[in-house]
Amino acid sequence: MKITAQEEYGIRCLMQLGRGREGASLTIAEISRAEGISKEYVAKLMRVLRKGSLVRSVRGQAGGYVLARPLDQIGVSEALSVLGGRLYDPQFCDHHSLEGTCSQGGEGCSVRHLWRSVQDVVDQVLARMTLADLLKPPAPPPPSSVPQLTTIRLN
């Protein structure tokens, strides 16, 4: 699975906006500086996110960009869809296979079934996550299932 630069940096820009005070805007320059992304690329990402109704622009001296909705109402799945789309598009084979060269045979294709299954699992995970979830500190890893060795002292 590949996450595009646009998806990665777009999510990071949204998180920057989410870290600020609610309703406070950030400029392209501020986001650029905080994330180490060029101003031009941040401007492009903000256009994409604005067209996708995830952010809105604020005019004036204190202008910049703000989230269009509260953090807990913006799903990661929605953001990734706006920024780039899905991992697997069911029409992929229709658009990218050469006529007669695919030996897998349409809907019965086991490779197509694999990617559809992976997409379903990814969709389930992403559907449960919001930007608010991404800004929470990560949970500690589960305890190791490997038994710990103990030292036994023999007298």
Side-chain angles (χ1 to χ4, degrees), residues 73-127:
Q73 293 178 20
I74 299 176
V76 174
S77 179
E78 178 186 6
L80 288 174
S81 179
V82 165
L83 290 161
R86 299 167 53 99
L87 170 66
Y88 171 74
D89 177 6
Q91 282 77 42
F92 177 85
C93 292
D94 299 337
H95 299 296
H96 298 288
S97 67
L98 297 173
E99 187 74 29
T101 61
C102 180
S103 62
Q104 296 301 312
E107 283 303 314
C109 173
S110 58
V111 175
R112 185 180 289 195
H113 177 72
L114 166 69
W115 296 130
R116 186 178 299 126
S117 298
V118 169
Q119 182 66 59
D120 289 346
V121 171
V122 169
D123 287 344
Q124 289 172 19
V125 171
L126 294 177

Side-chain angles (χ1 to χ4, degrees), residues 140-146 148:
S144 174
S145 60
V146 177
Q148 297 295 317

Side-chain angles (χ1 to χ4, degrees), residues 8-29:
E8 169 73 18
Y9 292 135
I11 293 288
R12 287 172 47 184
C13 290
L14 288 170
M15 291 173 64
Q16 273 302 322
L17 293 173
R19 283 187 182 99
R21 287 186 344 269
E22 190 170 334
S25 65
L26 289 177
T27 65
I28 287 172

